[in-house]
Amino acid sequence: MEFMDVPKGILQIEVTSRCNACCIMCPKPFMGDEWNAGDLSLEDYLRLVEYFEGFKVIWLQGWGEPLLSKHIFEMVKIASKNDGLIGLTTNATLLTESVSEKLIENGVKTIAVSIAGSRKETHECIRVGTNFNKIIENVQCLERLRRSRNARDLRIIFTFLRIKQNIRELPEVVELASRLNVDEIVGTNIDYIPSKKHYEMKVFSYLGEDPPKEYVEIIKESEERARENGISIYNYPLMMGEVAVCSENPVENIYISHDGAVSPCVYLNVPTKNNLIPRYIRNKQYFVPRLVFGSIKKERLIDIYNKSDLSDFRKVYKKRVDNWKSSTDFLSRFLDFSNLTNKSMRLPDPCFTCYKAYGV
């Protein structure tokens, strides 16, 4: 396909930046009136359809709750006409029986449910504004519908954002997932940290610092319980260390925000009205300009993708990946790329203060 000159990746589309919850680790309540809340129009969504076949995954979620979009079912249906995987992440408060039925009917392949604890008290203290019991009922209903509709290719995932307030319940979340017939658990970090308050919630450690033994043992126990219950689990690292390319992988993936802005990833396109992204790292506050290379409202996506500045951004990561793969010097694999004399290998400036660039 003309659009992609690399292996098929992920097209992440933010269908809305609005949310019906007020999670303590989310930047939205922290930013208050500075948060740009809005929905992607169906008209703008349709501008992207011709490119869907160039991606292996179409993910319909960004910084908001996708089930708030009035077009979500039609968006799923349109995307499902391609061979790629169609998925979304939800807090599951709106994942009622009728909503689950429509999502399955329209071809959704993965539904990731954000869970913050194995207990009602823990979950609701973190994901403020949600109802834990209702979420569990909704997941039970979704799994029941999956069986009754013979939707064998639908995967149900728990995403568990590990912070100090809930990490001790991760092994119990595995047990909960087993009882609900959830397929997979992903233990993530609070990787977007806009303030010192958010920084103090993190459970991962800096490079050279050993993570707390208690947390290491919790992760180990969660993985043992997952094996015992036949559930897939992936836990993100508990220690920072610069990687060739982050899990957002801007070499293969691309992100479209609700206002049509095109960026390499979701972390470089936080919906702030002043277009500045607050970050807190190594005990210092930074403000990084929102990195946008164009708008689908004004240009074709292929033209934005092939712009020299976006192409140059991708080339940096391509060089880093190639160097990592081809190096015969094992020591070089443990060097910080930022210390290399070849400046073309350094992290792009907007990525230096992003925790994703350091593997967590």
Side-chain angles (χ1 to χ4, degrees), residues 61-128:
Q61 189 260 344
W63 290 102
E65 168 51 52
L67 298 184
L68 286 173
S69 169
K70 64 181 180 180
H71 302 300
I72 189 61
F73 304 121
E74 188 169 359
M75 289 174 169
V76 169
K77 184 176 182 179
I78 291 169
S80 69
K81 294 178 181 178
N82 295 278
D83 294 333
L85 182 152
I86 314 305
L88 55 83
T89 302
T90 175
N91 61 34
T93 56
L94 302 175
L95 195 65
T96 60
E97 181 172 2
S98 62
V99 168
S100 291
E101 282 182 329
K102 291 178 182 178
L103 288 173
I104 292 173
E105 288 172 0
N106 288 311
V108 73
K109 292 296 184 289
T110 300
I111 296 179
V113 174
S114 299
I115 195 89
S118 62
R119 302 181 179 92
K120 175 182 175 66
E121 296 77 12
T122 305
H123 177 93
E124 292 182 2
C125 283
I126 295 172
R127 294 196 173 272
V128 179

Side-chain angles (χ1 to χ4, degrees), residues 2-3 6 14 16 21 24 32 106 113 125 184 200 206 305-306 346:
E2 180 190 5
F3 173 56
V6 294
E14 180 182 62
T16 181
I24 64 172
N106 288 311
V113 174
C125 283
E184 182 179 359
E200 291 171 349
Y206 281 115
Y305 184 83
N306 290 326
R346 291 169 60 89

Side-chain angles (χ1 to χ4, degrees), residues 148-274:
S148 65
R149 297 298 180 90
N150 199 28
R152 296 178 181 177
D153 55 352
L154 171 62
R155 287 183 60 78
I156 304 173
I157 297 174
F158 270 176
T159 59
F160 183 84
L161 197 158
R162 307 168 315 196
I163 54 178
K164 290 177 180 176
Q165 291 88 331
N166 69 3
I167 189 170
R168 293 173 182 84
E169 294 185 22
L170 178 55
E172 295 176 14
V173 168
V174 174
E175 300 290 346
L176 175 62
S178 177
R179 293 194 297 272
L180 296 173
N181 289 323
V182 168
D183 301 295
E184 182 179 359
I185 301 161
V186 180
T188 64
N189 291 306
I190 179 169
D191 44 31
Y192 175 55
I193 298 180
S195 71
K196 184 176 181 180
K197 174 184 175 182
H198 294 83
Y199 173 85
E200 291 171 349
M201 299 180 195
K202 73 176 182 63
V203 296
F204 60 84
S205 301
Y206 281 115
L207 180 66
E209 299 177 3
D210 292 331
K213 290 183 179 180
E214 179 190 10
Y215 296 166
V216 174
E217 289 302 315
I218 289 170
I219 298 300
K220 182 179 178 181
E221 182 182 354
S222 72
E223 293 172 351
E224 289 175 350
R225 293 200 191 186
R227 282 193 295 271
E228 292 169 358
N229 288 281
I231 297 177
S232 174
I233 188 170
Y234 177 76
N235 278 301
Y236 275 76
L238 283 174
M239 187 172 70
M240 289 173 60
E242 191 173 350
V243 292
V245 63
C246 67
S247 59
E248 298 303 298
N249 195 357
V251 176
E252 299 183 3
N253 308 332
I254 200 160
Y255 177 70
I256 316 292
S257 57
H258 76 277
D259 56 0
V262 179
S263 297
C265 82
V266 65
Y267 296 91
L268 293 171
N269 194 347
V270 181
T272 60
K273 292 179 181 177
N274 64 3

Side-chain angles (χ1 to χ4, degrees), residues 279-316:
R279 291 178 180 166
Y280 190 90
I281 188 168
R282 292 192 179 276
N283 300 313
K284 186 175 179 180
Q285 185 78 58
Y286 295 86
F287 291 90
V288 179
R290 188 179 176 209
L291 188 62
V292 173
F293 290 97
S295 171
I296 61 170
K297 294 177 180 290
K298 300 176 181 178
E299 304 169 85
R300 295 190 308 156
L301 182 58
I302 187 171
D303 294 332
I304 299 172
Y305 184 83
N306 290 326
K307 284 183 177 180
S308 60
D309 49 358
L310 179 51
S311 178
D312 289 343
F313 186 94
R314 290 195 303 271
K315 285 178 182 177
V316 172

Side-chain angles (χ1 to χ4, degrees), residues 333-352:
R333 295 175 180 268
F334 297 94
L335 289 174
D336 282 349
F337 280 92
S338 57
N339 292 329
L340 293 178
T341 54
N342 183 355
K343 291 187 177 181
S344 67
M345 299 284 289
R346 291 169 60 89
L347 282 167
D349 287 346
C351 300
F352 269 116

